């Protein structure tokens, strides 16, 4: 089992550019989510999905889109990158939405210039 | 307004001694609490959790205590080992929330185990 994988590990964007952060899990987990971590802050929920075809917003969804076409993949799209989106992004999954011991990926460090 | 607070940004403990990490919460709807450990350049890894119907949960060297009336929980690590040096995040959620709440995290405490 690879667990939760994220690509890329690092990315530098210019303001206004778009990109997709990839997340995949091979544990057949129903629930997947995206968090961002800013310096000196805890992780904050961006978007989540309780199963394929179902997504919803978390605490800080503005500027991000998600989709869940398969159980395994949960990409996060930045539509028009802004410096405020400079952060470390973590994808997580758990067996079901009620099973809260989430497994986290290694993170993507994003810098927006 | 921070709903989960870890008021100690860092904590230094001698190897072999007890490490006590504290966490306070303000949202009375939280009924499930977790501790995650994070090494640099890695994602958080789950350590231990506790439901609000319990006041203590133990797993090897790790014990979490929950005081609901004080809205306070603590993580005890006994004995502390060099590999325990990491950032520890306290997180809370509503178990019955169906995932909508996700996890609300504190800012973390950097635990340093001194040899």
């Amino acid at each position: 089992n690879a667990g939760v994988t994220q690509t890329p590990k690092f990315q530098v964007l210019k303001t206004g550019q778009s990109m997709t952060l990839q997340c995949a899990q091979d544990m057949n987990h129903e629930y997947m989510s995206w968090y961002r971590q800013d310096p000196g802050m805890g992780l904050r929920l961006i978007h989540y999905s309780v199963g394929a075809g179902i997504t919803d917003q978390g605490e800080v969804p503005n500027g991000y889109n998600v989709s869940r076409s398969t159980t395994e993949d949960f990409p996060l799209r930045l539509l028009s990158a802004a410096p405020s989106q400079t952060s470390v992004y973590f994808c997580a999954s758990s067996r079901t939405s009620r099973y809260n011991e989430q497994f986290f990926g290694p993170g993507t460090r994003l810098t927006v210039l | 307004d921070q709903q989960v607070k870890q008021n100690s940004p860092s904590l230094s403990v001698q190897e072999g001694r007890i490490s006590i990490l504290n966490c306070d919460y303000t949202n009375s709807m939280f009924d499930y609490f977790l501790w995650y450990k994070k090494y640099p350049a890695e994602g958080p890894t789950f350590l231990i959790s506790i439901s609000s119907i319990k006041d203590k949960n133990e797993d090897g060297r790790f014990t979490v205590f929950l005081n609901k009336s004080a809205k306070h929980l603590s993580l005890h690590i006994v004995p502390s080992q060099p590999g325990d040096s990491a950032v520890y995040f306290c997180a809370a959620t509503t178990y019955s929330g169906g995932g909508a709440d996700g996890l609300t995290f504190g800012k973390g405490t950097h635990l340093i185990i001194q040899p």
Side-chain angles (χ1 to χ4, degrees):
Chain A
N1 272 358
V4 179
T5 57
Q6 292 184 237
T7 56
K9 282 189 169 27
F10 302 94
Q11 183 70 49
V12 178
L13 292 178
K14 293 182 180 177
T15 297
Q17 285 186 312
S18 62
M19 80 158 294
T20 300
L21 280 63
Q22 302 291 345
C23 173
Q25 52 89 12
D26 61 357
M27 298 174 281
N28 202 31
H29 283 174
E30 289 183 7
Y31 184 85
M32 296 186 75
S33 55
W34 277 101
Y35 289 84
R36 60 177 286 174
Q37 185 190 14
D38 300 307
M41 301 283 290
L43 285 72
R44 291 182 293 168
L45 182 66
I46 305 172
H47 283 284
Y48 68 94
S49 168
V50 299
I54 306 168
T55 64
D56 210 338
Q57 297 179 350
E59 180 187 354
V60 288
N62 291 343
Y64 307 95
N65 269 0
V66 291
S67 59
R68 184 98 179 269
S69 55
T70 66
T71 299
E72 294 77 20
D73 301 297
F74 190 44
L76 178 73
R77 295 183 188 85
L78 280 71
L79 308 172
S80 177
S84 60
Q85 294 179 303
T86 293
S87 189
V88 182
Y89 291 84
F90 291 102
C91 178
S93 74
S94 59
R95 193 158 44 117
T96 70
S97 59
R98 290 175 182 271
Y99 190 73
N100 293 300
E101 286 85 354
Q102 297 187 29
F103 294 82
F104 283 82
T108 294
R109 184 174 292 275
L110 175 68
T111 302
V112 183
L113 303 174
Chain B
D1 182 32
Q2 239 192 317
Q3 298 186 69
V4 177
K5 299 177 185 177
Q6 294 178 258
N7 291 322
S8 298
S10 67
L11 176 67
S12 185
V13 174
Q14 218 166 5
E15 183 179 354
R17 300 286 189 113
I18 182 171
S19 294
I20 300 176
L21 293 87
N22 293 305
C23 178
D24 298 292
Y25 62 97
T26 58
N27 187 341
S28 56
M29 297 299 291
F30 289 146
D31 57 7
Y32 198 74
F33 305 89
L34 307 92
W35 285 93
Y36 279 83
K37 176 180 180 179
K38 185 182 181 303
Y39 293 119
E42 293 185 11
T45 54
F46 169 74
L47 201 54
I48 193 168
S49 63
I50 188 166
S51 162
S52 60
I53 61 173
K54 294 185 174 182
D55 53 19
K56 177 182 172 181
N57 189 25
E58 201 169 346
D59 184 1
R61 295 186 298 115
F62 302 93
T63 303
V64 56
F65 295 92
L66 175 62
N67 183 335
K68 288 186 290 293
S69 60
K71 293 192 178 68
H72 176 84
L73 61 155
S74 60
L75 174 68
H76 293 212
I77 306 173
V78 184
S80 300
Q81 298 175 353
D84 296 331
S85 294
V87 177
Y88 289 78
F89 289 100
C90 173
T93 187
T94 53
Y95 192 75
S96 57
D101 307 272
L103 297 174
T104 300
F105 283 85
K107 291 186 179 181
T109 296
H110 186 194
L111 176 64
I112 302 160
I113 305 301
Q114 306 274 10

